[in-house]
Amino acid sequence: MPRKISVEQKLLRTARRLFCQVGIHATGIARIIEESGVSRRSLYTHYGSKENLLKAVFEEEAGIWYRWFNYDLPAMECSSVDRVLALFDLMRVWLDSDGFYGCVFINAVAEHEKSNSWIQEVANHHREKISAKLQAMVAESGVRDPGMVTKKLNLLIDGAIVTAMITGSSKIARIGQLAAQDILQKTQ
């Protein structure tokens, strides 16, 4: 029996897909309402504005990453190096999912003005939080310079996401994982 999706989830899923596929500026409230099958009143009752809906979409995507770092990765019984590498397995599943339309943070920053943008601030804040969690995992692996290794891994992660957006293939996550393995081996 199919699970009923809440009005909020319908709006979030539709907005995320449209914001990533079409663009934030190109996606109007009318289209979100039409494609989600939710009333205008419901959208404004739950979110109040398109900007608040976008903020909720950011929170939804950030939640994926926080779940990985707070629950999925710590629950794995493996070495700290393997735990870092497992991040790329989680990414592959995400990149391969029907719900992957690109990274809403990357897309939003690419679409918006780069100076004094609240969107860039939100994206940087998310990136800093995830980087701190990744750096803690990297430090556990015993590398000599966890900060630099984390920067290298962040570059691999971002590159894998963008490449998957361009190619439509999740196979890049495996290549990112192999590169991450090389980085971790050379820095111990």
Side-chain angles (χ1 to χ4, degrees):
M1 189 168 199
R3 198 177 108 220
K4 187 176 178 180
I5 300 171
S6 72
V7 168
E8 291 158 316
Q9 280 301 310
K10 286 180 186 179
L11 287 166
L12 283 173
R13 287 180 184 178
T14 303
R16 182 175 184 279
R17 179 179 51 80
L18 290 172
F19 290 161
C20 286
Q21 287 181 330
V22 180
I24 296 164
H25 290 303
T27 301
I29 292 293
R31 185 163 180 188
I32 294 169
I33 290 165
E34 178 185 329
E35 293 195 25
S36 67
V38 172
S39 72
R40 180 176 296 272
R41 181 178 178 164
S42 291
L43 184 142
Y44 286 106
T45 297
H46 290 288
Y47 298 104
S49 68
K50 181 179 170 182
E51 184 175 303
N52 287 339
L53 179 58
L54 176 58
K55 288 176 183 177
V57 168
F58 284 146
E59 288 175 19
E60 178 96 352
E61 183 148 319
I64 295 168
W65 291 87
Y66 299 147
R67 185 180 66 245
W68 291 347
F69 281 100
N70 293 336
Y71 303 105
D72 297 345
L73 293 168
M76 294 179 178
E77 294 188 25
C78 58
S79 72
S80 53
V81 170
D82 287 341
R83 194 168 292 113
V84 171
L85 296 175
L87 173 60
F88 291 88
D89 292 326
L90 294 171
M91 284 180 56
R92 183 190 45 76
V93 171
W94 176 53
L95 299 175
D96 220 13
S97 72
D98 290 338
F100 178 74
Y101 308 106
C103 172
V104 72
F105 293 101
I106 292 171
N107 292 355
V109 170
E111 183 179 343
H112 281 80
E113 170 187 339
K114 303 306 180 270
S115 62
N116 298 322
S117 170
W118 70 268
I119 289 176
Q120 191 165 9
E121 288 177 28
V122 168
N124 277 327
H125 180 70
H126 168 70
R127 182 179 186 77
E128 289 167 5
K129 284 180 78 172
I130 295 304
S131 290
K133 291 177 181 297
L134 179 58
Q135 187 167 333
M137 285 177 40
V138 167
E140 288 176 19
S141 73
V143 300
R144 286 189 299 269
D145 187 351
M148 181 55 72
V149 170
T150 300
K151 289 176 184 177
K152 291 176 180 181
L153 293 175
N154 277 330
L155 188 61
L156 286 175
I157 291 165
D158 291 344
I161 293 167
V162 171
T163 301
M165 287 167 47
I166 293 168
T167 65
S169 173
S170 65
K171 292 179 184 175
I172 193 66
R174 177 65 180 142
I175 296 168
Q177 187 177 53
L178 293 171
Q181 188 173 29
D182 290 346
I183 290 168
L184 290 166
Q185 285 174 350
K186 290 178 183 174
T187 56
Q188 289 192 339

